Amino acid sequence: AREGDTFDELTRLHNKRFSSIEVGKMGSAVTGSGENDESGRKGNEVDSLLHCYQVYGHVMETGRNAVDRIVSGEQVDYESLYNFSCDVFNLIVHNQKSLFALMGLKRHDDYTFIHCLNVGVLSMYQARYLGFPQDQVIRLGMAGLFHDVGKIAIKNALLNKGGKLSDAEFENIKSHPVIGAELLLRNQSIDKLFFIACMQHHMGVDLSRYPRTKYLKRQSLAARIVAVSDVYDALRSRRSYKAGMSLERVHDIMRKESGTLLDAELV
């Protein structure tokens, strides 16, 4: 049940067709559980935000610990990882507005880890909107968390460099999916879906990007979902050398990448 290729079969098993996705309806997938009474709404929103802040902080701590264990070659407690991902799933279901508000804050200097955490959350949201069962949604969220684990081998100065990269610098950056995949393969307790999403998320839906392979016939659905989340969060995020882009600008860029780097229907 934890084999990576079973995720790709979900569209068939659950009679899902990407062509049925209605563009612009992402916000309609989840409804909040707040009070209808206007007088109590503000208090409920504050309570909801505080709860999300506590859970999000716990998720950061647990996720960072899991990443550190993978990098150091230690076995990851898959059950604990799954349980903390369930907490995120519950936030997506019940406190979506507060969760996404927290994701927009610059809460930590470690951009790479916060980015990975956000990609995990956004990937879970996509999967839930597509109608996948909770177990598969959570697995995809964990895969998103580890998609950039290979960047541990890239110097921070290069990761945080503003402006155009040299050819040699770009080749260094392009090594991170393979490095991450190798780290994940060393860990016997890791779900194979994590390896797949890590290895393939930069390949492009047309397989024209990196790393290149002559054996793969199509990009995994999990990797396609993670790729959309990855590009969206990277463009929207504030960095030391750039401001976060507007939603309109992000939309234009992602539409231009549709059919090559990104799955057009998922975009």
Side-chain angles (χ1 to χ4, degrees):
R2 287 173 53 191
E3 292 294 330
D5 56 1
T6 61
F7 193 92
D8 275 342
E9 294 301 314
L10 283 174
T11 53
R12 178 180 62 81
L13 295 175
H14 297 277
N15 296 317
K16 294 293 176 184
R17 296 293 182 268
F18 283 161
S19 59
S20 68
I21 295 176
E22 295 183 65
V23 177
K25 293 294 184 67
M26 290 295 285
S28 65
V30 183
T31 57
S33 56
E35 297 287 336
N36 291 325
D37 182 19
E38 184 68 29
S39 63
R41 185 171 300 167
K42 289 186 178 180
N44 290 334
E45 288 180 354
V46 171
D47 290 342
S48 176
L49 186 59
L50 287 174
H51 174 68
C52 281
Y53 190 89
Q54 291 172 342
V55 174
Y56 195 71
H58 176 65
V59 165
M60 285 181 60
E61 181 181 354
T62 307
R64 185 181 295 282
N65 178 263
V67 171
D68 289 344
R69 292 181 70 88
I70 286 177
V71 171
S72 63
E74 300 177 55
Q75 295 300 302
V76 172
D77 185 342
Y78 186 88
E79 184 176 356
S80 295
L81 197 59
Y82 186 90
N83 288 337
F84 103 79
S85 298
C86 287
D87 291 339
V88 178
F89 178 84
N90 288 328
L91 291 182
I92 290 175
V93 173
H94 300 295
N95 296 301
Q96 171 194 317
K97 181 178 179 180
S98 296
L99 176 62
F100 286 173
L102 284 180
M103 290 173 60
L105 300 177
K106 185 178 180 182
R107 302 180 60 244
H108 201 279
D109 290 335
D110 188 348
Y111 166 79
T112 299
F113 179 73
I114 300 299
H115 167 66
C116 289
L117 184 58
N118 288 348
V119 168
V121 173
L122 293 168
S123 297
M124 290 174 74
Y125 184 69
Q126 285 190 73
R128 183 171 186 267
Y129 180 81
L130 292 172
F132 296 146
Q134 178 175 334
D135 179 65
Q136 302 295 343
V137 172
I138 291 170
R139 288 179 62 211
L140 185 59
M142 292 189 286
L145 174 66
F146 293 115
H147 82 285
D148 266 350
V149 69
K151 285 185 176 178
I152 193 70
I154 311 297
K155 292 182 178 179
N156 285 332
L158 179 55
L159 292 175
N160 296 319
K161 179 182 177 181
K164 185 177 177 60
L165 299 175
S166 68
D167 291 344
E169 289 172 333
F170 188 48
E171 287 302 316
N172 194 350
I173 291 287
K174 285 166 60 176
S175 68
H176 78 268
V178 175
I179 294 172
E182 290 175 347
L183 284 172
L184 292 170
L185 280 179
R186 294 175 191 170
N187 204 295
Q188 297 299 316
S189 61
I190 285 297
D191 189 331
K192 289 183 180 179
L193 191 68
F194 303 177
F195 159 78
I196 292 171
C198 179
M199 185 71 170
Q200 296 184 13
H201 72 280
H202 279 300
M203 285 185 176
V205 71
D206 64 351
L207 303 180
S208 66
R209 305 300 174 92
Y210 63 91
R212 300 296 291 270
T213 174
K214 59 183 178 181
Y215 301 108
L216 192 67
K217 300 301 181 183
R218 65 180 181 132
Q219 188 184 30
S220 164
L221 172 59
R224 282 180 271 152
I225 290 174
V226 168
V228 169
S229 300
D230 182 29
V231 172
Y232 174 84
D233 188 69
L235 295 176
R236 284 287 286 165
S237 296
R238 299 187 299 273
R239 300 295 301 276
S240 59
Y241 55 83
K242 79 173 186 69
M245 293 184 183
S246 68
L247 285 171
E248 292 76 14
R249 178 62 176 151
V250 170
H251 182 256
D252 288 343
I253 292 175
M254 294 182 73
R255 286 293 298 271
K256 289 178 181 178
E257 295 286 2
S258 295
T260 53
L261 175 62
L262 303 175
D263 183 294
E265 291 181 279
L266 289 179
V267 169

